[in-house]
Amino acid sequence: MKVTSPLVEHVYFNPPSPKEADSWWERYKAQLVGLTDTARASVEADSRYILQRGILAADTTKLEEWSSSRSRTGLVMGSVQSGKTASMLGVSALAIDHGLDIIVVLAGTRLSLWRQTYERLVQQLDSGEENAQKIKRRLLCPKRGIALSEQTHPLRTTYRLPSAEVRTRLSQGRPLIIVAMKQTDHLHALGASLRDNVFKEVKKLGRPVHMLVLDDEADDGSILDAIVESSQDPIYGSLKQIPRAIANLWDPPQGSPENLFSTYIAYTATPQANLLQEDHNPLAPRDFLISLRTPLDVGHPVDTTNPCNLNTPRSSTYPEAAGIRSCYTGGEVFYRRAEAAKLCVPTTNSVQQDLADAVRAFLVAGAIRLNRSGRLGPASALAKQFDTKEEALANAASPHSMLYHPSAAIQHHFLGAEDLLIWAGIQDRATARNMLESGDARLPHTLAEHLLADPAPWAQWLENYRASARVIEEEFDVLPPASFPDWQTVEDLLVREVIPGTRIAVVNSDPNADDRPAYAPIQDADTGKWRAARDLCTIFVSGNVMARGLTLEGMTTALFQRSSANPLADTQMQMQRWFGYRGSYIELCRVFASSDQLSLFRDYHDVDEAVRTAITERMMSDAPKPTVLQGLDFEATGKIAGVGNLPLSPGARPFITVINDSGQQDPNAKVVAGLFARPSSDLTVAKVLRGRILDAPLELAEAADVLDRLTFADYRPGSEGFHADIWSGIEARANAVATLADTPLYRPPVRNGRGDQPRRACPYAIAAYLRLWSASLTRSITGLFVTGQPGDRWSYADLARKNAEQPRFWIGIRYGDGATISKGPLARLPFKIRATTKRVAGGELKTTWGASDPNAGPTQYRGDVYFDYYHRYAAVPSSNTTGWRPSGSDGQILFYVNQHSDDAHPTVAVGVCLPAGGPEQFSATRAGATIV
């Protein structure tokens, strides 16, 4: 080893840069030991993007870049249990390194969530021994002894920020780091402390001070709805105190220092309510939207060599070189890629049978994981003492968890837990309840006796898992294959370790209860010895409380027996706690739920991915603000009042009721005349001449062009506004899959402006819809359903079959009982057109589709909506309750040439018939954003 002489003086012309330990980011990065190199680079790249394109996008020295309250608001969308907290801490570290003065983390509406986030922040962001050097580098609030104390402290003490310490830290450029519970009393106490002890010191500094507020689970309690809010006192109203109290942190009624600048970032996996908030609400994301990425085996790669490059292409997922074992397993895995592995199990009509099946699946999975680990099982580990915490962690098996969600009602949680214990062999409810209240309800040995007496339903799960593993390995190219013990080994582990070591716990919904799962070893205060974590193998019975923030480590099994008459996408998306980084044992995971509920989960995932794609496209281009999507059978959120549901498709039989003035020559007559310069034929039904029809139909894009050529003096919608944004948004999502050749989809007459209020039956929107249909034949676009088949998702459709069934459009002119058209371009056609005499008032048709006789026989004329059927000699449907033509049928565009005896010129009306099987999207709309 080379030794440097102490007598040699080293002189540096360029002094060395400070040690990496002085960087908050480098200290935090050193804590990310459980991540792969790619995942660590992704956290850094996304954190730097949020910092540069969000937090630092406005200059605190340029007031014109800020709102009147000197604040900016944005949103970061993650995935359920995907690493949002890692991102928040990474952003905090980088923000401090870039000179931000105050970091406020709003950490959950429950005590347990607040402490969970506080502990993680202390361990990872503010890591290191609590020595004098660490104390000087920041001001942490609350102090650790207060935040994690079992004693109750006054909130003014909890959030005390001594002026002298604040002054010292700010003057030295050291940060104030605050972790606050998102509860009104806590927020009011923090707000008072900021006003009394921080703002006065900020004002004295004579330089801009930047405060960053990171709101974890920002759709929980942080939503302001203008309609509901209008009936509440903005400060003391019981319903909306939390969001007002958050905004008051930087913009209180008393005012804040003119040199204080604030950035608020809403972190959530379910941003529906955040995006639907009225823009004037202070927490609405006005300035930036950002989406985090998750590892899978597809997508644009992360630039691991240069995480600072903000311009690399992005997608919702990125390839993880380590394979599925290190990937995020969310809806794409559970509901799509691994569908054949049968990770989702439809429940039966028997609650008892489903409970038994789910618990057996969980316990057998636990035995397999225990065998793979080679460590002490839960029964043995809990009975053993260890000399150190590290020894306890190294020797005991990893946590293994199950979630049983019987319903939203608290009383059902205790009943469900009792049912579980009674099924396992406990004799009565009183005994079961006493066991639960003791906090240490373990499965009885009776269950092991039942297993030994009838092992078949248990052993079947070993075979199920083997089959799942084969599917997973083929789909995700897994090597080496997963290992499985034989049944005798599994049975022995079940009897000796897993069954006796499994605890049943009811998770309380009391916001003041710290009832988190215990995954850390526990030290005996008397002996100093360590015991393994309490929840090495636990079945948690819970409701809504488990749908927000709390993480179940090692979760393999979920039994979801809840149903809802009014399902909400954001709420039920959060309930899917089986999502996470479970790739190392994904073949052992199971979700038990009804077929209808599983279908809803798939729908939620599809619209969720669509919103994520839309945000990603907005990050990379000038795509519009994402449309919040929902379904025909579910709403996006219940947190915003007055949410409507706007379909994208124009319906089965849209009829354009706007019509030009007969006092002037109608330009649409020229469009129709141009079409019928092509070969056409008379259409006679029941010996009556009904009209004329082109001999050859048009393709989707050709039909769209025809509708776009129509013009109306009194209807000129524009390329700006709510309706146009919906079309721009879906175009961006389609482009994200593959570049569109025929753009834009929506081509209204006013190309640069808002124009007239869009109509539901709009020729330009129908044209856009036909172009979308054509584009969708070659790409699986998320967030789309299938018309006429509300349970079908376009991203699951067989595109080869969709191509074979794509409609063509027959073009016809329906004759009426009026006079023969005698002037204009239609009079010069080689056939005579008899005018219709539909009633017109104020530029609007008062009658639409013409003749209709639902009782017409096979040789009679059923109605204009079947006009083309008679030309094609196709069988007219015998009955149609939905209005849609069958999927795979052709469509039609039918013109009516309307002229009354006192009209100077004929005018053209048009109706369109669409078959089922096309793409559909349901946009959530807030009050005021409607279409005529």
Side-chain angles (χ1 to χ4, degrees):
M1 181 177 71
K2 182 179 179 180
V3 179
T4 303
S5 170
L7 301 178
V8 178
E9 180 182 9
H10 290 265
V11 179
Y12 296 94
F13 183 75
N14 293 314
S17 58
K19 292 182 179 179
E20 297 286 58
D22 291 336
S23 161
W24 283 81
W25 169 255
E26 290 301 330
R27 271 197 303 271
Y28 175 62
K29 185 177 179 180
Q31 299 299 314
L32 301 178
V33 293
L35 302 184
T36 65
D37 291 343
T38 311
R40 195 178 298 110
S42 175
V43 171
E44 179 174 357
D46 285 355
S47 298
R48 292 189 182 278
Y49 191 103
I50 295 166
L51 178 76
Q52 297 295 338
R53 298 287 171 85
I55 300 167
L56 300 181
D59 190 339
T60 54
T61 64
K62 298 177 181 178
L63 278 174
E64 65 273 15
E65 296 182 2
W66 294 79
S67 68
S68 58
S69 62
R70 302 175 306 282
S71 65
R72 285 166 52 82
T73 57
L75 181 143
V76 173
M77 181 183 183
S79 298
V80 174
Q81 299 198 142
S82 67
K84 295 186 296 299
T85 304
S87 171
M88 284 198 306
L89 298 181
V91 168
S92 297
L94 289 172
I96 295 170
D97 285 339
H98 281 76
L100 268 76
D101 302 276
I102 306 170
I103 309 294
V104 179
V105 178
L106 303 179
T109 56
R110 302 181 69 244
L111 184 66
S112 54
L113 292 176
W114 176 45
R115 287 180 170 171
Q116 177 177 281
T117 302
Y118 184 95
E119 286 183 331
R120 185 163 171 186
L121 182 145
V122 168
Q123 292 166 2
Q124 295 187 344
L125 177 66
D126 191 33
S127 59
E129 182 184 350
E130 189 75 8
N131 53 26
Q133 182 181 0
K134 180 176 179 180
I135 291 170
K136 287 180 180 180
R137 80 186 182 204
R138 86 304 190 244
L139 174 56
L140 178 65
C141 177
K143 296 187 183 302
R144 185 165 186 168
I146 293 176
L148 303 180
S149 172
E150 295 301 322
Q151 298 178 348
T152 301
H153 294 269
L155 291 179
R156 65 179 180 274
T157 303
T158 300
Y159 294 105
R160 183 169 174 264
L161 291 159
S163 296
E165 290 186 49
V166 170
R167 185 184 316 119
T168 301
R169 298 298 183 273
L170 291 179
S171 64
Q172 295 173 341
R174 305 295 188 181
L176 277 57
I177 303 175
I178 303 165
V179 185
M181 183 173 169
K182 196 162 52 173
Q183 192 263 354
T184 51
D185 292 336
H186 283 247
L187 292 169
H188 288 319
L190 174 58
S193 186
L194 289 170
R195 292 192 302 273
D196 296 343
N197 302 315
V198 177
F199 286 0
K200 65 181 181 181
E201 302 301 334
V202 167
K203 192 173 182 179
K204 294 176 186 175
L205 277 178
R207 67 168 174 82
V209 172
H210 199 161
M211 177 165 73
L212 173 62
V213 179
L214 301 169
D215 188 353
D216 193 16
E217 304 291 353
D219 64 310
D220 184 25
S222 303
I223 302 302
L224 273 173
D225 165 43
I227 296 176
V228 177
E229 184 192 359
S230 64
S231 63
Q232 298 289 326
D233 184 286
I235 301 299
Y236 301 106
S238 60
L239 192 59
K240 291 295 174 183
Q241 287 191 45
I242 289 178
R244 280 298 180 195
I246 292 172
N248 287 345
L249 295 178
W250 62 84
D251 188 26
Q254 300 89 338
S256 59
E258 293 184 358
N259 61 327
L260 178 69
F261 296 82
S262 303
T263 301
Y264 167 85
I265 304 181
Y267 267 84
T268 179
T270 47
Q272 291 91 331
N274 303 78
L275 294 171
L276 284 170
Q277 287 185 102
E278 295 289 349
D279 292 337
H280 66 263
N281 287 332
L283 302 185
R286 299 185 305 272
D287 299 294
F288 55 89
L289 298 174
I290 295 170
S291 177
L292 301 177
R293 298 171 286 185
T294 54
L296 200 57
D297 59 349
V298 293
H300 291 296
V302 174
D303 186 353
T304 55
T305 62
N306 185 15
C308 297
N309 183 2
L310 306 184
N311 297 316
T312 55
R314 297 179 65 92
S315 49
S316 61
T317 61
Y318 61 85
E320 172 52 74
I324 186 65
R325 300 304 185 195
S326 296
C327 287
Y328 173 74
T329 51
E332 189 67 15
V333 173
F334 276 92
Y335 308 137
R336 287 182 57 81
R337 299 281 299 280
E339 187 174 17
K342 298 182 179 179
L343 306 184
C344 299
V345 182
T347 51
T348 67
N349 293 324
S350 170
V351 174
Q352 186 80 355
Q353 180 179 329
D354 296 331
L355 178 62
D357 210 22
V359 174
R360 290 191 192 104
F362 168 69
L363 297 174
V364 171
I368 295 170
R369 293 188 68 206
L370 178 58
N371 174 263
R372 290 175 180 175
S373 74
R375 298 183 182 182
L376 292 173
S380 296
L382 289 169
K384 187 176 176 58
Q385 289 188 329
F386 303 92
D387 292 330
T388 65
K389 179 180 180 180
E390 290 70 27
E391 186 183 348
L393 284 170
N395 284 278
S398 300
H400 183 62
S401 304
M402 171 180 169
L403 174 61
Y404 176 26
H405 186 75
S407 81
I410 294 174
Q411 64 270 25
H412 292 166
H413 306 158
F414 285 97
L415 288 174
E418 292 167 11
D419 287 342
L420 196 160
L421 287 168
I422 289 171
W423 167 80
I426 299 301
Q427 293 302 308
D428 54 71
R429 288 195 180 275
T431 304
R433 178 60 70 99
N434 289 335
M435 292 172 64
L436 292 168
E437 291 177 349
S438 74
D440 194 38
R442 302 278 167 177
L443 291 177
H445 185 69
T446 312
L447 184 59
E449 295 173 353
H450 292 166
L451 157 64
L452 295 171
D454 183 17
W458 300 74
Q460 182 59 49
W461 276 109
L462 177 59
E463 297 310 310
N464 292 346
Y465 292 140
R466 290 183 191 274
S468 296
R470 289 192 292 270
V471 173
I472 296 291
E473 287 156 9
E474 181 176 350
E475 175 64 29
F476 295 101
D477 297 324
V478 177
L479 286 174
S483 63
F484 287 91
D486 59 26
W487 171 246
Q488 288 304 317
T489 301
V490 171
E491 185 180 71
D492 178 62
L493 289 173
L494 284 167
V495 172
R496 287 191 301 105
E497 293 287 349
V498 180
I499 290 177
T502 298
R503 190 173 82 96
I504 316 300
V506 176
V507 180
N508 201 312
S509 63
D510 181 355
N512 296 311
D514 185 11
D515 50 4
R516 289 169 293 166
Y519 296 124
I522 303 166
Q523 188 174 27
D524 189 306
D526 296 327
T527 65
K529 296 286 188 179
W530 290 83
R531 292 189 179 275
R534 180 188 65 188
D535 289 312
L536 289 182
C537 191
T538 307
I539 300 174
F540 296 96
V541 185
S542 183
N544 294 343
V545 68
M546 285 308 302
R548 184 65 63 177
L550 284 177
T551 299
L552 296 186
E553 292 188 17
M555 181 174 170
T556 58
T557 315
L559 174 56
F560 194 94
Q561 290 181 327
R562 174 177 178 159
S563 61
S564 175
N566 183 32
L568 305 170
D570 56 352
T571 300
Q572 294 204 355
M573 223 19 223
Q574 288 284 359
M575 291 176 179
Q576 299 178 69
R577 312 314 290 176
W578 43 93
F579 289 177
Y581 290 86
R582 312 200 188 279
S584 61
Y585 53 88
I586 186 63
E587 71 279 0
L588 305 179
C589 293
R590 288 297 184 273
V591 180
F592 294 80
S594 70
S595 297
D596 289 345
Q597 186 63 57
L598 290 171
S599 181
L600 281 172
F601 285 152
R602 294 184 183 99
D603 290 349
Y604 301 151
H605 164 66
D606 213 51
V607 298
D608 176 78
E609 186 59 29
V611 173
R612 198 178 313 279
T613 300
I615 292 178
T616 302
E617 288 300 299
R618 184 178 175 87
M619 292 166 65
M620 296 190 298
S621 64
D622 58 352
K625 185 176 179 179
T627 301
V628 176
L629 302 178
Q630 47 193 17
L632 184 63
D633 300 323
F634 65 89
E635 296 178 6
T637 181
K639 303 181 181 81
I640 300 292
V643 173
N645 200 19
L646 178 67
L648 185 75
S649 87
R653 300 169 179 175
F655 201 102
I656 291 87
T657 58
V658 65
I659 196 166
N660 285 318
D661 189 343
S662 62
Q664 306 290 331
Q665 184 168 312
D666 188 353
N668 296 330
K670 186 176 180 180
V671 174
V672 177
L675 283 168
F676 278 84
R678 308 178 186 190
S680 62
S681 303
D682 285 337
L683 180 67
T684 300
V685 182
K687 300 181 180 180
V688 177
L689 179 62
R690 307 286 176 170
R692 192 84 174 178
I693 191 167
L694 293 185
D695 290 344
L698 304 184
E699 300 297 327
L700 281 161
E702 294 176 303
D705 290 340
V706 168
L707 293 170
D708 270 335
R709 291 203 295 272
L710 300 177
T711 58
F712 301 92
D714 294 332
Y715 182 56
R716 291 176 55 76
S719 60
E720 297 178 6
F722 174 75
H723 189 64
D725 284 348
I726 287 178
W727 282 109
S728 296
I730 196 169
E731 183 175 311
R733 283 173 20 228
N735 254 319
V737 181
T739 303
L740 289 170
D742 189 15
T743 59
L745 297 177
Y746 180 54
R747 304 171 186 177
V750 179
R751 293 302 172 90
N752 295 294
R754 299 186 72 87
D756 295 327
Q757 176 78 0
R759 295 165 173 262
R760 179 82 176 93
C762 166
Y764 318 111
I766 299 171
Y769 178 77
L770 298 182
R771 289 192 186 93
L772 173 65
W773 194 332
S774 179
S776 299
L777 297 173
T778 57
R779 68 202 75 207
S780 296
I781 306 174
T782 54
L784 296 182
F785 295 88
V786 180
T787 56
Q789 297 143 350
D792 290 356
R793 291 162 292 280
W794 195 272
S795 59
Y796 283 65
D798 180 344
L799 293 186
R801 181 174 178 180
K802 285 293 180 189
N803 269 278
E805 294 181 345
Q806 67 175 294
R808 301 171 302 169
F809 282 81
W810 296 88
I811 312 298
I813 301 175
R814 176 69 165 99
Y815 296 170
D817 296 328
T820 299
I821 300 301
S822 59
K823 60 169 64 174
L826 291 170
R828 294 191 286 272
L829 289 170
F831 52 86
K832 301 298 182 182
I833 300 173
R834 290 194 63 185
T836 57
T837 53
K838 292 179 177 294
R839 189 165 69 87
V840 178
E844 296 281 339
L845 284 170
K846 298 304 175 183
T847 56
T848 55
W849 293 104
S852 178
D853 181 4
N855 299 316
T859 61
Q860 298 172 303
Y861 189 66
R862 174 77 65 80
D864 291 356
V865 295
Y866 303 111
F867 185 86
D868 60 306
Y869 275 74
Y870 295 98
H871 172 73
R872 296 185 281 123
Y873 300 103
V876 176
S878 57
S879 64
N880 193 335
T881 57
T882 67
W884 294 102
R885 294 178 174 211
S887 182
S889 302
D890 284 344
Q892 76 165 351
I893 298 174
L894 190 62
F895 293 102
Y896 296 80
V897 182
N898 206 58
Q899 188 172 24
H900 293 265
S901 58
D902 55 350
D903 289 342
H905 297 275
T907 52
V908 173
V910 61
V912 181
C913 288
L914 294 164
E920 179 62 290
Q921 172 181 292
F922 299 98
S923 304
T925 63
R926 62 190 182 201
T930 57
I931 290 181
V932 175

